[in-house]
Amino acid sequence: MNKTTEELTNELAKREGVKQLRLNPYEEAKLTTGEKGISIVGPAVILINQD
């Protein structure tokens, strides 16, 4: 039983402790922790699991 990445993402997004952020095309998000950081340009879905 293979699931697509979209199906897995949608299932995880429904769970308690998971936050979802969707970026539109060409929209940018910057994630930083301490001195490390990354930049992401959409389209993208970012899941934050605080479980």
Side-chain angles (χ1 to χ4, degrees), residues 3 6-7 16 20 22 26 28 30 33 45 48:
K3 298 285 185 182
E6 180 179 14
E7 290 171 322
E16 187 176 334
Q20 178 177 281
R22 290 185 175 270
Y26 308 107
E28 184 178 8
K30 294 180 181 180
T33 59
V45 176
I48 300 168

Side-chain angles (χ1 to χ4, degrees), residues 15-44:
R15 297 189 179 203
E16 187 176 334
V18 177
K19 295 178 184 174
Q20 178 177 281
L21 175 64
R22 290 185 175 270
L23 297 177
N24 293 319
Y26 308 107
E27 189 174 16
E28 184 178 8
K30 294 180 181 180
L31 303 173
T32 59
T33 59
E35 295 181 15
K36 296 181 182 180
I38 62 170
S39 179
I40 301 165
V41 179

